[in-house]
Amino acid sequence: MNTNNLHSIDSQAAFNQQVAAHDFIIVLFTAQWCDPCQTFAPVFADVAAQAPAIAFATADVDVATDLAANFQVTQVPALMVIRERVVVDMMRGAMLKHELQHHLRMWQALDMSAINAHFSQKTIAAT
C-alpha cells in the first residue's frame, strides 16, 4: 500500500506546514483510546492510498493538543478538509469506505474559484 501521501501531524506548527505544502489535504483527528477511530483508520489509509494527488494526515488529539484546541475538536474521529488553505468541510464520526470515497468526490468537485472569490472580496473589504 502506497502511503506517501499519508502524514502525521503532532502540533499546530506541523499542521501549518502541511497546509502550506498541499493544496488539498484531509486531516483525520483521532485518539488511541477511541475505538471508532481505530476502526476508521485503515479505511482512511486505504482511501489515501487510492488518491495519491491528495494529501492525507492524521492528528492525535492527545498529542496535537494545540491544534485540537484551536479547531475546537471535541469529538473523534473528525475529518477536516482543506483546499487551497480554506477549510471547506468538517465532519464527525467514522464512515464506511464507500461513504468516504463519495465525500472525497464531492470535495474534489468543489468550485474553488467561487470560494476564493468570496475570500478575495472579504480581504478587499477589510483593507
Side-chain angles (χ1 to χ4, degrees):
M1 180 186 306
N2 176 7
T3 55
N4 291 342
N5 62 332
L6 185 55
H7 309 275
S8 182
I9 295 175
D10 61 4
S11 66
Q12 179 71 52
F15 171 84
N16 294 347
Q17 287 176 333
Q18 290 297 323
V19 170
H22 303 286
D23 280 342
F24 192 164
I25 184 167
I26 301 171
V27 179
L28 169 61
F29 289 92
T30 186
Q32 289 294 319
W33 47 262
C34 167
D35 288 339
C37 297
Q38 302 314 312
T39 302
F40 182 56
V43 171
F44 186 74
D46 192 28
V47 172
Q50 295 174 1
I54 301 167
F56 289 76
T58 58
D60 187 314
V61 295
D62 294 323
V63 175
T65 54
D66 56 345
L67 179 63
N70 184 39
F71 286 107
Q72 301 176 347
V73 176
T74 57
Q75 288 180 286
V76 289
L79 287 176
M80 178 184 293
V81 182
I82 303 148
R83 296 237 357 237
E84 299 176 22
R85 293 159 194 66
V86 176
V87 176
V88 295
D89 204 355
M90 185 85 173
M91 301 182 68
R92 289 187 216 36
M95 60 184 85
L96 300 173
K97 182 177 177 180
H98 75 274
E99 293 171 315
L100 180 55
Q101 290 169 326
H102 169 75
H103 280 83
L104 185 60
R105 286 190 296 273
M106 290 189 333
W107 297 324
Q108 286 174 303
L110 281 174
D111 180 1
M112 290 307 295
S113 62
I115 293 170
N116 290 331
H118 169 79
F119 283 105
S120 294
Q121 290 301 318
K122 294 277 187 195
T123 304
I124 293 167
T127 55

